[in-house]
Amino acid sequence: MPLGHWFASKRNNKASLNPESVNQKLTDGDFERLWIQCYNCSERFPKKDIQENRMVCSACGYHFRINSWERIHQITDSFEELNASLRPKDPLNFTDTAPYAERIEKTEAKTNLKEAVITGIGKISDTKFALAVMDFSYMGGSMGSVVGEKITRLIETALEENLSLIIFSSSGGARMQEGTYSLMQMVKTGAALAKLHEAGLLYISVLTEPTFGGVTASYGTLGDIIIAEEGARIGFAGRRVIEQTIRQKLPADFQTANYLLKYGQVDMVVQRQQLKESLYRLIQLHQKSLTLAGPVSSRQL
Amino acid sequence: MPLGHWFASKRNNKASLNPESVNQKLTDGDFERLWIQCYNCSERFPKKDIQENRMVCSACGYHFRINSWERIHQITDSFEELNASLRPKDPLNFTDTAPYAERIEKTEAKTNLKEAVITGIGKISDTKFALAVMDFSYMGGSMGSVVGEKITRLIETALEENLSLIIFSSSGGARMQEGTYSLMQMVKTGAALAKLHEAGLLYISVLTEPTFGGVTASYGTLGDIIIAEEGARIGFAGRRVIEQTIRQKLPADFQTANYLLKYGQVDMVVQRQQLKESLYRLIQLHQKSLTLAGPVSSRQL
Amino acid sequence: MTQPLFEPFDFEKPIYTIQEKIEELMRISEETGVDFQSEIDKLSARAEAFRMNVYKNLQPKEKVQIARHPQRPSAIEVIRQLSPQTWFELHGDRAGQDDQAVVGGIIEFLDRPVMVVGTQKGRGMKENLVHNFGMPNPEGYRKAMRLFSHANKFGMPIVTLIDTPGAYPGIAAEQHGIGIAIAHNIREMARLRVPIVSIVLGEGCSGGALGIGVANEIYMLEHALYTVISPEGCASILWRSPEYAAQAAESLKITAQDLFAFEMIEGIIPEPLGGAHYDPQMTIESVRSSLLSSLTTLTQLSPEELVEQRYQKFRKIGAFEESVLTR
Amino acid sequence: MTQPLFEPFDFEKPIYTIQEKIEELMRISEETGVDFQSEIDKLSARAEAFRMNVYKNLQPKEKVQIARHPQRPSAIEVIRQLSPQTWFELHGDRAGQDDQAVVGGIIEFLDRPVMVVGTQKGRGMKENLVHNFGMPNPEGYRKAMRLFSHANKFGMPIVTLIDTPGAYPGIAAEQHGIGIAIAHNIREMARLRVPIVSIVLGEGCSGGALGIGVANEIYMLEHALYTVISPEGCASILWRSPEYAAQAAESLKITAQDLFAFEMIEGIIPEPLGGAHYDPQMTIESVRSSLLSSLTTLTQLSPEELVEQRYQKFRKIGAFEESVLTR
Ligand SMILES: [Zn+2]
Ligand SMILES: [Zn+2]
């Protein structure tokens, strides 16, 4: 990871920890800057300790939400970003309570991100892989044209360079402000994944807190292996929409990682501490297998 | 159909109608020979009328169970039998309350059938197709080595001659007296159907009263199109076994044709009166499509 | 046209009011013997011009109403009229359900068998409960995929008829993987080696529409809509109240005309004045002619060309800026 | 061996009784100072011979008891011992269930990744409820098939571990197409282009076993069984009472030795005297060596050869007469 990015990551930590990490009652700036209170167990820790613990509460195991650069830092030894200059346009000239164009500028300023996904080539030890990491702090990780284009280009790169693909999803769904442009990104990415599938390359999808809507209904669930990070909430429709539709209370664990495991929708739930190792081993095993097994066309069903 | 078979079919009608068609209280031989009472609505009819109505009650629509030759007569314009000489052996030297070998002889004498399935090439108008029709009157339509072998050879014939395949199932399941020989027929037929599937040929499975066990779990449910005949009961486990396992009463319509339709397991429920026409049209449509569409390999996914 | 055929929409009411007045005049003319004919003719002409004007300048929110009209031709009606002789309906996902929000089967069209799959709304509460208001569960998408695979195996072109408020937001739908089902259909439809044409009949809403919508060519009825989210849903989230639905409908650019301008669809199928429900039969005949020309072209492509054309159609969709310096 | 390790089966009781008597003699000898050593040695030798005789001449009904022993090594135990370092368990059918009667995932074996899928019984009521006594529902077969497809895509050999009283006979199982699920697995396993080896660990019962059993090579543990129907089920139907289960077990020819004689399996994996539960670890080491040699051979075949070899293995099974005159 370029040093600049790493610093950006550090800068963004605070933003990304909102609103869960910061105790609203405390006004002491020192505390906010140096300490962190667990959203789940209310224990307080020096922020540095939690950061060293991969943003996992060492008391209760609660996984704090992390931003994309922090994630990249946690799961790669090095990372080379691709298509970093892609920025959103405003094809519908969309305005709700504020113009979309304005929201874009504000978000960029606030998050220091150009869009809701970072893509590139990651490395663990000597193993290269194509990596996309979504960032919920950029407009709720919504998928618009840029997300779709960057994911699609990444898949194309994986195809060209014969790489395994990992996508970390975190998204509220399609970006409404881009209308059908955002909707069609589901097809664009899904069709690119069809090519990856036919080429027999590995795709591991990692679903992190939270993943919903159009991402769940496209590349989020098209992994050969689907991993849910511990504590993540994952679904298609949001909890509120479902409650309004069925006029019924939902179970407390509805749409949690373990709920999805129980209902057969993810292969495994993995703690953040184990993620890097798991991904590394899975890529290695599959690459070894592909090397030994000969051309994918010979196994076409 | 050769004339001899047609006569055999006529001879067998009586046997095949047992026990449902014959009113137990009446001892008058004339009645039994010439009249028939509906098992469902108790209406009585001249047997000839019901036979002309394809063995369907003209009062309530109840479908009488029919034997294989009657079925072949109903749904083909002509039929050429294949592998007619295959007869069962007794590989386990099996004896329960009577030796299997003895049962074979008695069944053959009673039914005038050599096994529980008849296979061959049927024709409707100018359209040829591979046809297998199981016969429940032969040891409850159980699937042993001969059934497996005849079905497999028929599939191989369909492959060689580029024909659509239709199998009428009616079976209590695998033939226990042949032990694992009968069990492995599920694989033998299923693997042959894998070849048919890859060749892109049409297979229509017609499930008739009753179809259970090993047939349901192999070729019975592997049709590109699955038709259940009106009134047929179809399942894997028998009603009694399920009731004993779950200690619960089952719904009245459990495992009926319409129940299966509701639970998404068959494409359509067809009245016997419409079967020939439906099969003919389906074969024609698919053949036309295959002719227009070019080689199956070009569409391999 | 004394009695409106349907309960008129608010924006249609002036048309009916003017019509009533004209008829009143005609009645008076008859009763009194005074000849108002030339006045009536002029009034009628102006009324007709007004009517044309209303219908040719429909606002998005009005189009939404038309697109949801209960008498709009449904998938089953389209199927029946396109192929009155042949309609082998195929049922079920082979795994536990026959989701009636999705209907499908084999018809004859262009003198060859064609697989049709559509989302189906009902008319009236009873039918709507059967068809779940056209909102498929995962099993509906799996049923659709089974039929698509069948079509691919036997080389049948596929026509999908889209009319859905979206996939069903329910507990079982989430448990059974509604997201996975849609995603899987998107990926697998992209791979199908037969022609696929989609027609948006009414509402084409969100991933629920895409689950049967990955086509070589997409056509929309004149007043149909295609949207990433229902205007009400969008308003609830962005304006924090569903009352802003009209604004959302406007902002989201969801009309056939918008989609055509974005080059996301291949054509617009004309509807009779006032909307398809004024003449469903004529509307379906227009569907027929669009399908005829589309399938005639597409069936001439090879499987490879079909897959590539479909890929490129969606690959190019996107609006973004890129500085040339990087990468 | 004063205390039996397990509650002995009826047919084992004489072994333990003799053993007790010998130990009594030894105690008396110690207490009284009288030297019975040579008598004890002779008795011990004869007891050992008796024991050997019992275990080497087990009746089918006794093998059924051993095959169902709760301490018999289960699929998960085999997986853990075969690949102590690597075991990526994969869950779910991606459509609503993670049937725990079927377990599976990626291990390392022969220095390469291998996909293992097995039916899993539990030990004790709590575990048995989790694993449904090793009786898969349709969702279990679909989970298995998903893992098989994964293996095929990435060229991983497949090992299946069979230990099931059969597919679950329940209402939901029928509703969700248990027959279809098994049939589909049979057909699709026949098409897989990677090596498949099946090991029958305990009970291999009916279609429930075949759903993960279409292999290039099948091995059975020495006292495992493979049968078209449980002996009790067979007795209930043919003898009209489950009390004839012993006779059914005999008549059905369900032992590893029978299946080997029929040339339906490739080999028998030896168990320790008395059965696998006397030494699960040693048993699993025997499984390892069978797998080693089987996979070493099979991984040298091309995908085409694998499919053809698997086809022919099952194609030839059948016992029938055929007069040469007709076709
Ligand atoms: Zn905590
Ligand atoms: Zn009747």
Side-chain angles (χ1 to χ4, degrees):
Chain A
M1 178 166 51
L3 199 63
H5 289 149
W6 173 235
F7 280 115
S9 147
K10 289 296 176 195
R11 271 200 307 282
N12 287 328
N13 264 341
K14 206 183 133 200
S16 76
L17 295 172
N18 268 330
E20 294 163 354
S21 59
V22 180
N23 189 316
Q24 302 291 338
K25 288 176 207 147
L26 287 167
T27 50
D28 181 353
D30 278 355
F31 177 84
E32 267 196 44
R33 211 169 53 247
L34 298 173
W35 289 74
I36 193 166
Q37 181 167 20
C38 176
Y39 183 69
N40 182 50
C41 73
S42 299
E43 199 74 39
R44 296 165 186 196
F45 306 91
K47 197 177 270 184
K48 192 174 62 71
D49 292 3
I50 293 293
Q51 277 165 350
E52 272 166 18
N53 199 35
R54 301 194 178 195
M55 298 306 296
V56 175
C57 173
S58 41
C60 75
Y62 175 75
H63 286 50
F64 290 89
R65 205 178 277 175
I66 59 176
N67 70 13
S68 42
W69 283 113
E70 169 72 19
R71 175 73 73 185
I72 290 165
H73 177 63
Q74 284 189 10
I75 61 139
T76 63
D77 294 335
S78 68
F79 179 75
E80 184 202 341
E81 191 177 1
L82 295 175
N83 300 304
S85 78
L86 263 66
R87 293 182 70 245
K89 257 165 87 171
D90 181 12
L92 309 187
N93 204 5
F94 193 96
T95 299
D96 47 271
T97 54
Y100 178 43
E102 206 173 277
R103 282 187 199 281
I104 292 170
E105 283 189 22
K106 279 193 182 161
T107 304
E108 186 166 324
K110 193 186 80 181
T111 62
N112 205 16
L113 291 169
K114 285 211 181 67
E115 250 292 355
V117 72
I118 293 169
T119 60
I121 306 298
K123 235 182 175 179
I124 304 176
S125 188
D126 278 341
T127 301
K128 274 172 71 179
F129 51 94
L131 174 66
V133 179
M134 297 187 77
D135 199 314
F136 197 75
S137 63
Y138 189 102
M139 289 199 200
S142 57
M143 171 179 62
S145 296
V146 173
V147 171
E149 182 70 20
K150 284 173 89 170
I151 296 271
T152 303
R153 287 193 191 174
L154 184 71
I155 296 165
E156 288 166 347
T157 302
L159 276 164
E160 279 158 27
E161 303 188 17
N162 211 30
L163 297 175
S164 298
L165 170 71
I166 299 177
I167 302 179
F168 277 76
S169 291
S170 178
S171 172
R175 186 171 300 164
M176 286 171 284
Q177 291 89 345
E178 294 188 20
T180 40
Y181 280 92
S182 75
L183 181 67
M184 296 302 170
Q185 304 309 310
M186 293 169 65
V187 182
K188 190 161 92 179
T189 54
L193 286 173
K195 291 199 173 186
L196 197 81
H197 178 65
E198 288 185 355
L201 291 170
L202 176 67
Y203 166 31
I204 303 176
S205 172
V206 189
L207 306 175
T208 72
E209 163 71 3
T211 304
F212 280 86
V215 169
T216 299
S218 63
Y219 54 82
T221 52
L222 287 173
D224 295 300
I225 291 174
I226 304 179
I227 294 174
E229 190 177 36
E230 174 70 37
R233 283 166 300 172
I234 300 147
F236 179 61
R239 204 182 163 90
R240 208 166 44 107
V241 174
I242 298 171
E243 278 178 337
Q244 281 169 359
T245 308
I246 64 171
R247 292 161 197 285
Q248 207 178 314
K249 266 293 289 157
L250 295 168
D253 66 342
F254 188 65
Q255 296 183 326
T256 59
N258 281 303
Y259 187 88
L260 263 75
L261 185 70
K262 177 179 165 194
Y263 286 103
Q265 293 182 46
V266 299
D267 283 293
M268 47 189 109
V269 175
V270 177
Q271 311 275 325
R272 191 173 290 162
Q273 316 290 1
Q274 273 73 57
L275 258 181
K276 182 179 181 180
E277 173 70 11
S278 294
L279 292 171
Y280 179 57
R281 293 281 294 128
L282 282 169
I283 291 177
Q284 282 215 311
L285 286 168
H286 284 80
Q287 280 185 350
K288 188 174 210 177
S289 203
L290 287 172
T291 307
L292 290 166
V296 78
S297 61
S298 72
R299 295 192 306 283
Q300 208 124 44
L301 291 179
Chain B
M1 178 165 54
L3 200 62
H5 288 150
W6 174 235
F7 280 117
S9 145
K10 289 296 177 196
R11 273 200 306 279
N12 287 330
N13 263 341
K14 207 181 131 201
S16 75
L17 295 173
N18 269 328
E20 295 163 352
S21 60
V22 179
N23 188 316
Q24 302 291 339
K25 290 175 204 148
L26 287 168
T27 51
D28 180 353
D30 277 354
F31 178 82
E32 267 196 44
R33 209 166 57 247
L34 299 172
W35 289 73
I36 194 167
Q37 182 167 21
C38 175
Y39 182 69
N40 181 49
C41 72
S42 300
E43 198 74 37
R44 296 167 185 194
F45 305 91
K47 196 176 271 185
K48 193 172 63 67
D49 292 3
I50 293 292
Q51 278 164 352
E52 274 166 16
N53 199 34
R54 301 194 178 194
M55 298 307 296
V56 174
C57 173
S58 41
C60 74
Y62 174 76
H63 285 51
F64 290 89
R65 206 178 276 176
I66 59 175
N67 71 13
S68 41
W69 283 115
E70 170 71 17
R71 176 73 72 184
I72 291 165
H73 176 63
Q74 283 188 10
I75 62 137
T76 63
D77 293 336
S78 69
F79 179 75
E80 183 203 341
E81 192 178 0
L82 295 174
N83 299 303
S85 79
L86 263 68
R87 294 182 68 244
K89 257 165 89 170
D90 181 11
L92 310 187
N93 205 4
F94 193 97
T95 299
D96 47 273
T97 54
Y100 177 43
E102 207 172 276
R103 283 188 199 279
I104 292 171
E105 282 189 23
K106 279 193 182 162
T107 304
E108 185 165 328
K110 194 186 80 181
T111 61
N112 205 18
L113 292 168
K114 286 209 178 69
E115 250 291 356
V117 72
I118 293 169
T119 60
I121 306 300
K123 234 181 176 180
I124 304 176
S125 187
D126 277 342
T127 300
K128 273 171 73 178
F129 52 93
L131 174 66
V133 178
M134 299 189 74
D135 198 316
F136 197 76
S137 63
Y138 190 101
M139 290 199 198
S142 57
M143 172 179 60
S145 297
V146 173
V147 170
E149 183 70 19
K150 285 173 87 170
I151 295 273
T152 304
R153 288 193 190 175
L154 184 71
I155 296 165
E156 288 165 347
T157 302
L159 275 164
E160 281 159 27
E161 303 189 15
N162 210 32
L163 295 175
S164 299
L165 169 71
I166 299 176
I167 303 181
F168 277 77
S169 290
S170 178
S171 171
R175 188 171 299 165
M176 287 170 284
Q177 291 90 345
E178 294 187 21
T180 39
Y181 281 93
S182 76
L183 182 67
M184 296 302 170
Q185 304 310 309
M186 291 169 66
V187 182
K188 190 162 92 178
T189 54
L193 285 173
K195 293 200 172 187
L196 197 80
H197 178 64
E198 288 184 354
L201 291 169
L202 175 68
Y203 165 34
I204 303 175
S205 172
V206 188
L207 306 174
T208 71
E209 162 72 3
T211 303
F212 279 87
V215 170
T216 299
S218 62
Y219 54 82
T221 53
L222 288 173
D224 295 299
I225 290 174
I226 304 181
I227 295 173
E229 190 179 38
E230 174 70 38
R233 282 165 300 173
I234 300 147
F236 179 61
R239 203 181 165 88
R240 210 167 42 111
V241 175
I242 298 171
E243 278 178 337
Q244 281 167 1
T245 307
I246 64 171
R247 294 166 196 284
Q248 206 179 315
K249 267 281 310 141
L250 296 169
D253 64 343
F254 189 63
Q255 295 182 329
T256 58
N258 281 302
Y259 187 88
L260 264 77
L261 184 69
K262 178 180 163 191
Y263 285 103
Q265 293 181 46
V266 299
D267 284 292
M268 48 187 110
V269 175
V270 177
Q271 310 276 325
R272 191 172 290 161
Q273 318 289 0
Q274 273 73 57
L275 258 181
K276 183 178 180 179
E277 173 70 10
S278 294
L279 293 171
Y280 178 58
R281 291 282 294 130
L282 282 169
I283 292 178
Q284 282 214 312
L285 286 169
H286 284 80
Q287 281 186 349
K288 187 173 209 178
S289 203
L290 288 172
T291 308
L292 290 167
V296 79
S297 61
S298 73
R299 293 191 308 282
Q300 210 123 45
L301 291 180
Chain C
M1 202 200 274
T2 315
Q3 283 303 312
L5 283 162
F6 319 96
E7 187 61 38
F9 294 124
D10 282 348
F11 66 87
E12 286 179 303
K13 281 183 181 155
I15 297 171
Y16 288 98
T17 311
I18 295 169
Q19 189 66 26
E20 266 169 42
K21 294 299 163 203
I22 293 172
E23 279 163 18
E24 246 178 78
L25 266 183
M26 286 165 79
R27 207 165 50 247
I28 292 167
S29 168
E30 230 169 78
E31 281 166 21
T32 60
V34 182
D35 185 3
F36 290 148
Q37 197 52 50
S38 86
E39 286 81 358
I40 289 171
D41 287 350
K42 276 182 205 159
L43 270 170
S44 295
R46 284 187 50 202
E48 185 61 21
F50 177 78
R51 188 163 150 255
M52 293 285 283
N53 193 52
V54 166
Y55 287 134
K56 285 291 163 199
N57 293 289
L58 291 166
Q59 298 302 301
K61 66 170 178 179
E62 292 157 358
K63 282 184 170 258
V64 170
Q65 290 180 288
I66 294 175
R68 290 174 179 168
H69 196 286
Q71 299 302 315
R72 219 173 152 74
S74 76
I76 288 176
E77 283 164 325
V78 172
I79 290 167
R80 290 236 166 90
Q81 188 173 322
L82 287 182
S83 175
Q85 304 300 320
T86 307
W87 165 225
F88 277 105
E89 187 171 1
L90 303 177
H91 288 274
D93 64 353
R94 297 267 162 97
Q97 265 195 50
D98 179 38
D99 187 338
Q100 299 282 320
V102 175
V103 298
I106 302 167
I107 66 167
E108 274 188 298
F109 192 79
L110 256 180
D111 203 30
R112 68 187 289 168
V114 167
M115 183 67 79
V116 187
V117 173
T119 48
Q120 175 71 27
K121 292 181 182 176
R123 230 161 249 163
M125 192 45 73
K126 202 180 139 194
E127 265 184 48
N128 261 318
L129 289 177
V130 169
H131 297 293
N132 198 34
F133 299 85
M135 292 184 285
N137 273 281
E139 291 78 4
Y141 293 103
R142 298 199 176 102
K143 170 184 178 177
M145 195 61 231
R146 185 174 79 79
L147 270 46
F148 296 151
S149 301
H150 186 98
N152 187 75
K153 177 171 177 181
F154 296 102
M156 296 176 190
I158 293 169
V159 172
T160 75
L161 303 170
I162 296 172
D163 187 15
T164 177
Y168 185 61
I171 295 184
E174 295 288 321
Q175 288 174 342
H176 299 176
I178 184 71
I180 298 181
I182 292 172
H184 184 76
N185 276 24
I186 289 173
R187 188 185 78 183
E188 293 304 303
M189 283 189 89
R191 301 176 62 208
L192 293 175
R193 301 174 76 81
V194 291
I196 308 176
V197 182
S198 288
I199 314 268
V200 186
L201 297 176
E203 289 184 276
C205 211
S206 176
L210 290 185
I212 61 166
V214 183
N216 293 90
E217 296 195 344
I218 303 173
Y219 294 83
M220 290 176 72
L221 289 194
E222 188 181 340
H223 303 309
L225 52 99
Y226 211 137
T227 179
V228 65
I229 184 171
S230 74
E232 293 81 2
C234 178
S236 294
I237 298 169
L238 293 186
W239 281 266
R240 307 204 172 268
S241 159
E243 282 168 27
Y244 291 83
Q247 266 152 280
E250 176 81 38
S251 300
L252 284 167
K253 304 269 196 300
I254 62 181
T255 69
Q257 293 70 30
D258 292 324
L259 276 276
F260 190 73
F262 298 154
E263 293 179 28
M264 292 180 192
I265 65 171
E266 277 61 34
I268 298 172
I269 300 173
E271 299 188 28
L273 209 66
H277 54 293
Y278 279 95
D279 193 344
Q281 233 178 318
M282 185 215 111
T283 309
I284 299 173
E285 286 313 301
S286 302
V287 170
R288 181 196 301 281
S289 58
S290 289
L291 273 179
L292 259 171
S293 74
S294 175
L295 283 177
T296 303
T297 313
L298 290 174
T299 50
Q300 269 147 43
L301 299 183
S302 72
E304 292 70 29
E305 288 167 331
L306 286 167
V307 170
E308 185 59 17
Q309 185 268 332
R310 205 181 302 131
Y311 186 79
Q312 293 306 337
K313 169 178 168 59
F314 292 97
R315 177 66 187 88
K316 69 177 201 291
I317 299 177
F320 53 87
E321 283 173 4
E322 183 171 20
S323 81
V324 279
L325 287 174
T326 54
R327 210 204 167 177
Chain D
M1 202 201 276
T2 315
Q3 283 303 312
L5 281 163
F6 317 96
E7 187 59 39
F9 295 124
D10 282 349
F11 66 86
E12 287 178 303
K13 282 183 180 152
I15 298 171
Y16 288 99
T17 311
I18 294 170
Q19 190 64 26
E20 268 170 39
K21 295 297 163 209
I22 292 172
E23 280 164 16
E24 246 177 77
L25 266 182
M26 287 166 78
R27 206 166 49 248
I28 293 167
S29 166
E30 230 168 81
E31 280 165 23
T32 59
V34 184
D35 183 3
F36 291 146
Q37 197 53 51
S38 86
E39 286 82 355
I40 288 170
D41 286 350
K42 276 183 206 158
L43 269 169
S44 293
R46 284 187 49 204
E48 185 59 20
F50 177 76
R51 188 163 151 259
M52 295 283 283
N53 194 50
V54 166
Y55 286 134
K56 286 290 163 200
N57 293 289
L58 290 167
Q59 299 302 301
K61 65 171 178 179
E62 292 157 359
K63 282 181 169 263
V64 171
Q65 289 180 289
I66 293 175
R68 291 175 180 167
H69 196 286
Q71 299 302 316
R72 217 171 154 75
S74 75
I76 288 176
E77 283 164 326
V78 172
I79 290 167
R80 291 237 166 89
Q81 189 173 321
L82 287 182
S83 176
Q85 304 300 321
T86 306
W87 164 223
F88 277 105
E89 187 170 2
L90 303 177
H91 289 273
D93 64 353
R94 297 267 164 100
Q97 266 195 49
D98 179 38
D99 188 338
Q100 299 283 320
V102 174
V103 298
I106 301 168
I107 66 169
E108 275 189 296
F109 191 79
L110 256 180
D111 202 31
R112 67 186 292 170
V114 166
M115 183 66 80
V116 188
V117 173
T119 48
Q120 175 70 25
K121 291 180 182 177
R123 231 162 248 162
M125 191 46 71
K126 203 180 139 196
E127 265 184 47
N128 261 319
L129 289 178
V130 169
H131 296 293
N132 199 31
F133 298 85
M135 294 184 284
N137 273 281
E139 290 78 5
Y141 292 103
R142 298 197 177 105
K143 170 184 178 177
M145 195 61 230
R146 185 174 79 79
L147 271 47
F148 296 151
S149 300
H150 186 98
N152 187 77
K153 176 171 177 181
F154 295 102
M156 297 176 188
I158 293 168
V159 172
T160 75
L161 304 170
I162 296 172
D163 187 15
T164 177
Y168 185 60
I171 295 185
E174 296 287 323
Q175 287 174 343
H176 299 175
I178 184 70
I180 296 181
I182 293 172
H184 185 76
N185 277 21
I186 290 173
R187 188 185 76 181
E188 293 302 305
M189 284 189 87
R191 301 175 62 207
L192 292 176
R193 301 175 76 82
V194 290
I196 308 175
V197 182
S198 288
I199 314 268
V200 187
L201 298 176
E203 290 183 276
C205 213
S206 177
L210 291 185
I212 61 165
V214 182
N216 292 91
E217 295 196 345
I218 304 172
Y219 294 82
M220 290 175 73
L221 289 195
E222 188 181 339
H223 304 308
L225 53 96
Y226 211 139
T227 179
V228 64
I229 185 171
S230 73
E232 293 80 3
C234 178
S236 293
I237 297 169
L238 293 185
W239 281 268
R240 308 204 171 267
S241 159
E243 282 167 28
Y244 291 84
Q247 265 153 280
E250 176 80 39
S251 300
L252 283 167
K253 304 267 197 299
I254 62 179
T255 69
Q257 295 69 31
D258 292 325
L259 275 278
F260 190 73
F262 298 153
E263 295 179 27
M264 292 180 193
I265 64 170
E266 278 61 32
I268 298 172
I269 300 173
E271 299 187 27
L273 211 65
H277 54 292
Y278 279 94
D279 193 343
Q281 236 179 317
M282 187 214 110
T283 309
I284 299 173
E285 286 313 303
S286 303
V287 170
R288 182 197 299 282
S289 57
S290 289
L291 272 179
L292 260 172
S293 73
S294 174
L295 282 177
T296 304
T297 314
L298 290 174
T299 49
Q300 270 146 44
L301 300 182
S302 71
E304 291 70 30
E305 288 167 333
L306 286 166
V307 170
E308 184 60 17
Q309 185 269 332
R310 204 181 304 130
Y311 186 79
Q312 293 306 335
K313 169 177 168 58
F314 292 97
R315 178 65 188 87
K316 68 178 203 291
I317 299 177
F320 52 85
E321 284 174 2
E322 182 172 22
S323 81
V324 278
L325 286 176
T326 53
R327 197 188 174 179

